[in-house]
């Protein structure tokens, strides 16, 4: 999954019409809420390169942070 695929999946997951980029701050996306957090964890459980801790997702500030968690990039 490349960055654009990730952005598309995340946009669908959050059911937002906002233009999401890798630099988008999650706090600026109204739809990034507890339900989106759980949906992201479910997506990660099926597609991510490794296990992601809920505390790591909660600590993410930007979409890029989520992407890096998803692919195990530090």
């Amino acid at each position: 999954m490349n960055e654009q695929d990730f952005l598309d999946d995340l946009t669908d997951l959050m059911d937002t019409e906002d233009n999401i980029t890798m630099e988008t701050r999650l706090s600026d996306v109204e739809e990034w809420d507890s339900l989106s957090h759980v949906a992201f964890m479910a997506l990660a459980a099926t597609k991510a390169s490794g296990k992601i801790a809920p505390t790591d997702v909660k600590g993410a500030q930007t979409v890029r942070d989520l992407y890096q968690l998803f692919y195990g990039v530090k």
Side-chain angles (χ1 to χ4, degrees), residues 21-44:
T21 69
M22 296 302 280
E23 305 313 317
T24 298
R25 296 194 58 75
L26 295 169
S27 60
D28 293 339
V29 181
E30 183 177 338
E31 293 83 1
W32 180 249
D33 56 16
S34 59
L35 183 59
S36 294
H37 184 129
V38 170
F40 178 80
M41 293 298 299
L43 178 68

Side-chain angles (χ1 to χ4, degrees), residues 2-74:
N2 62 33
E3 286 185 3
Q4 189 57 53
D5 292 337
F6 181 80
L7 291 171
D8 292 344
D9 282 352
L10 194 60
T11 299
D12 289 344
L13 179 141
M14 290 191 289
D15 193 26
T16 184
E17 294 189 21
D18 290 347
N19 182 28
I20 303 293
T21 69
M22 296 302 280
E23 305 313 317
T24 298
R25 296 194 58 75
L26 295 169
S27 60
D28 293 339
V29 181
E30 183 177 338
E31 293 83 1
W32 180 249
D33 56 16
S34 59
L35 183 59
S36 294
H37 184 129
V38 170
F40 178 80
M41 293 298 299
L43 178 68
T46 61
K47 292 188 176 182
S49 62
K51 185 172 172 115
I52 299 174
T55 54
D56 290 338
V57 175
K58 187 175 181 178
Q61 300 291 315
T62 66
V63 170
R64 184 170 306 282
D65 293 341
L66 292 179
Y67 181 81
Q68 290 173 336
L69 288 173
F70 205 83
Y71 289 103
V73 178
K74 294 291 179 186

